[in-house]
């Protein structure tokens, strides 16, 4: 969140704060800046609340001291909504927990909103549609989804695509901005986003670098260009100045539409450099039902252990393959990664 409020993340978020019928509310800080959020927990003794930010999907602890008087009154009077005993809305109940930061309905609405974004002056709608596709993946993976198309970057990407076509192949070493771009061949410009996220091929296996750049949280703007079957995306940008306080993943945590999963390689991105892959134990379990709380780092997982056939680490990324082939169309999976100072666990439900 840019210059809005001070956020403090705690490992206490590994516990499951369950909410069942809370409404989104606009919160305002003492400087008059606002954001829309939903309360999951209030600690009256510490004068702080745990809130899900609707825009970023991040769960954060917020001190009463930085909020308006009206918000403080609301929080002091806040009580969690009670769960109805005979409800059949298991989807809503599970999705509103810590493990499921977004409901399926929220995902549908947000993806639709992103898809409808119009091109600003000087940007073609084709480029905007491609940026929209990028933002959809970013939203689903839990990073800011408001990357904008930049006219100068579109020119750089177009130059890079033209250079690759003239070269007769992809290369980051032929000038013309190719050294700051993701490069693709064999698809149109919008489809190239899927190629970057999939990041298939032996040359990409270790780093999955194209995916990592696409999901880089500080990215604030980009440009796409093409020439025939060659396309390029300016990928090196930090103008968004957004730093994550907790890890993000592909596929993203909680509900994740299967149509956005490509290949069999998954990634977890840490907020610091990843350890050596030899220090890690990566486990993936197919669960029989949705978990009601996070599993600990050493307890037995009630599900089928999948063979993790490959692990690599690059910069802040831990890349792993749950099995040799892509997973089934639907399923609930628990990912647990321990070692080298890392202790992470999260659910991915493909639907």
């Amino acid at each position: 969140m840019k210059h809005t409020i001070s956020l403090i993340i705690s490992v206490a978020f590994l516990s499951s704060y369950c909410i069942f019928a809370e409404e989104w509310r606009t919160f305002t800080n003492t400087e008059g800046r606002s954001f829309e959020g939903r309360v999951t927990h209030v600690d009256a003794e510490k004068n702080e609340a745990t809130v899900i930010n609707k825009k970023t999907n991040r769960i954060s602890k917020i001190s009463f001291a930085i909020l308006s008087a009206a918000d403080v009154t609301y929080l002091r009077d806040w009580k969690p909504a009670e769960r109805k005993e005979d409800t059949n809305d298991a989807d809503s109940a599970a999705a509103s927990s810590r493990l499921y930061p977004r409901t399926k309905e929220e995902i549908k609405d947000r993806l639709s909103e992103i898809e409808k974004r119009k091109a600003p002056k000087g940007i073609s709608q084709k480029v905007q549609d491609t940026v929209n596709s990028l933002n959809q993946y970013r939203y689903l993976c839990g990073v800011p989804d408001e990357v904008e198309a930049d006219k100068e970057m579109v020119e750089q990407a177009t130059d890079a695509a033209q250079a690759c076509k003239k070269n007769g192949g992809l290369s980051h070493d032929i000038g013309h901005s190719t050294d700051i771009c993701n490069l693709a061949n064999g698809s149109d410009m919008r489809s190239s986003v899927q190629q970057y996220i999939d990041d298939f091929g032996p040359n990409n296996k270790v780093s999955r670098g194209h995916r990592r750049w696409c999901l880089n949280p500080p990215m604030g703007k980009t440009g796409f260009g093409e020439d025939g079957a060659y396309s390029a995306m300016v990928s090196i940008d930090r103008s968004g100045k957004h730093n994550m306080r907790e890890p993000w993943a592909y596929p993203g945590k909680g509900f994740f539409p299967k149509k956005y999963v490509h290949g069999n390689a998954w990634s977890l991105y840490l907020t610091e450099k990843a350890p050596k892959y030899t220090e890690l134990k990566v486990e993936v379990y197919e669960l029989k039902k949705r978990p009601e709380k996070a599993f600990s780092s050493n307890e037995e997982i009630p599900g089928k252990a999948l063979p993790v056939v490959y692990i690599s680490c690059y910069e802040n990324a831990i890349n792993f393959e749950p099995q040799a082939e892509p997973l089934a169309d639907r399923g609930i999976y628990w990912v647990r990664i321990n070692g080298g100072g890392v202790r992470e666990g999260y659910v991915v439900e493909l639907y």
Side-chain angles (χ1 to χ4, degrees):
M1 195 184 309
K2 186 176 180 181
H3 303 303
T4 303
I5 58 175
S6 299
L7 302 177
I8 304 173
I9 302 297
S10 168
V11 294
F13 295 154
L14 290 176
S15 59
S16 179
Y17 293 118
C18 292
I19 53 177
F20 300 100
E22 304 299 340
E23 299 294 331
W24 294 105
R25 172 185 172 84
T26 299
F27 290 88
T28 306
N29 70 358
T30 52
E31 297 179 353
R33 298 189 178 93
S34 300
F35 77 100
E36 196 168 359
R38 185 169 62 189
V39 180
T40 67
H41 181 73
V42 173
D43 190 329
E45 293 184 0
K46 293 184 178 180
N47 288 324
E48 64 184 19
T50 304
V51 179
I52 300 175
N53 186 300
K54 187 174 184 180
K55 181 178 179 180
T56 65
N57 302 302
R58 292 170 57 195
I59 299 178
S60 308
K61 283 189 176 180
I62 302 175
S63 170
F64 288 4
I66 65 170
L67 294 173
S68 67
D71 288 334
V72 173
T73 298
Y74 169 81
L75 292 173
R76 292 197 184 282
D77 294 336
W78 180 88
K79 288 181 175 59
E82 294 183 359
R83 185 173 186 170
K84 296 180 180 179
E85 292 296 330
D86 296 325
T87 182
N88 291 320
D89 193 9
D91 177 273
S92 177
S96 58
S97 76
R98 171 68 182 94
L99 299 178
Y100 288 80
R102 301 171 296 267
T103 67
K104 291 180 182 179
E105 191 64 27
E106 287 169 344
I107 291 173
K108 178 182 177 181
D109 291 345
R110 187 62 170 179
L111 293 179
S112 177
E113 182 275 318
I114 294 173
E115 182 68 25
K116 295 175 182 177
R117 292 176 184 174
K118 299 299 182 182
K121 184 177 180 179
I123 300 295
S124 71
Q125 190 58 45
K126 186 174 184 179
V127 168
Q128 182 62 46
D129 289 342
T130 307
V131 175
N132 291 347
S133 180
L134 172 67
N135 278 319
Q136 288 174 326
Y137 283 102
R138 289 174 63 89
Y139 165 72
L140 291 170
C141 294
V143 297
D145 58 26
E146 296 189 338
V147 175
E148 298 178 349
D150 178 82
K151 185 177 180 180
E152 181 179 351
M153 288 183 174
V154 171
E155 293 173 353
Q156 291 174 318
T158 302
D159 187 31
Q162 292 171 343
C164 287
K165 182 178 180 179
K166 184 176 180 180
N167 183 58
L170 303 177
S171 174
H172 294 289
D173 302 318
I174 55 177
H176 299 275
S177 300
T178 56
D179 59 337
I180 61 170
C181 289
N182 282 345
L183 305 172
N185 186 19
S187 64
D188 60 28
M189 185 165 57
R190 178 159 187 169
S191 298
S192 70
V193 177
Q194 177 177 322
Q195 282 190 255
Y196 300 143
I197 295 294
D198 187 357
D199 223 358
F200 60 88
N203 293 336
N204 300 318
K205 192 176 181 70
V206 173
S207 66
R208 305 286 175 187
H210 301 89
R211 175 189 297 172
R212 179 173 171 269
W213 280 117
C214 285
L215 302 179
N216 187 29
M219 178 180 286
K221 55 186 179 180
T222 187
F224 286 87
E226 64 181 351
D227 189 352
Y230 291 90
S231 58
M233 164 196 170
V234 175
S235 55
I236 301 178
D237 176 71
R238 298 184 62 86
S239 62
K241 298 179 180 179
H242 187 100
N243 294 315
M244 300 292 286
R245 303 292 185 91
E246 60 181 16
W248 60 104
Y250 174 83
K253 301 174 183 180
F255 291 122
F256 195 93
K258 175 63 177 177
K259 66 178 288 188
Y260 291 90
V261 179
H262 313 297
N264 66 322
W266 292 23
S267 299
L268 176 69
Y269 299 95
L270 306 177
T271 56
E272 67 282 333
K273 186 175 177 63
K276 296 179 180 178
Y277 79 93
T278 53
E279 299 177 13
L280 295 173
K281 181 179 181 181
V282 179
E283 302 169 278
V284 180
Y285 293 85
E286 184 174 8
L287 306 180
K288 295 180 181 179
K289 62 179 182 178
R290 290 176 185 147
E292 295 181 359
K293 63 180 182 64
F295 298 107
S296 72
S297 60
N298 56 11
E299 71 178 288
E300 183 177 350
I301 306 297
K304 175 185 176 182
L306 301 181
V308 179
V309 299
Y310 181 81
I311 305 171
S312 68
C313 294
Y314 178 78
E315 296 296 338
N316 67 320
I318 300 173
N319 303 307
F320 54 100
E321 299 174 11
Q323 57 184 28
E325 300 295 334
L327 297 174
D329 287 342
R330 296 171 183 268
I332 305 171
Y333 303 91
W334 185 262
V335 178
R336 183 164 65 184
I337 303 179
N338 292 314
V342 178
R343 183 176 293 181
E344 293 291 335
Y346 60 96
V347 66
V348 175
E349 181 166 340
L350 303 180
Y351 70 97

